[in-house]
Amino acid sequence: MGTLVGAMMGALVGAGAGGLAGSKIGERLDDRVFDNHECHDCGHVFSIEHYSE
């Protein structure tokens, strides 16, 4: 019985950590990779390149 509860707790903690990590990675991709800017005049979508110094 204790093993089952431990496994369930481990699964919940792992799922929470994985969800948080995935959310942060997705946020970075949205900010830096995908076309997330749109011209209000013509509707063209584009991304801005980020340069690290």
Side-chain angles (χ1 to χ4, degrees):
M1 180 76 167
T3 310
L4 180 60
V5 172
M8 290 172 62
M9 291 298 293
L12 288 174
V13 169
L20 182 61
S23 172
K24 293 294 181 186
I25 292 170
E27 189 176 308
R28 272 292 175 102
L29 286 173
D30 285 344
D31 288 345
R32 297 182 178 251
V33 176
F34 297 126
D35 294 338
N36 55 354
H37 299 280
E38 181 176 356
C39 175
H40 292 286
D41 291 332
C42 68
H44 176 74
V45 292
F46 57 95
S47 61
I48 296 176
E49 292 194 27
H50 296 272
Y51 296 102
S52 59
E53 296 178 9

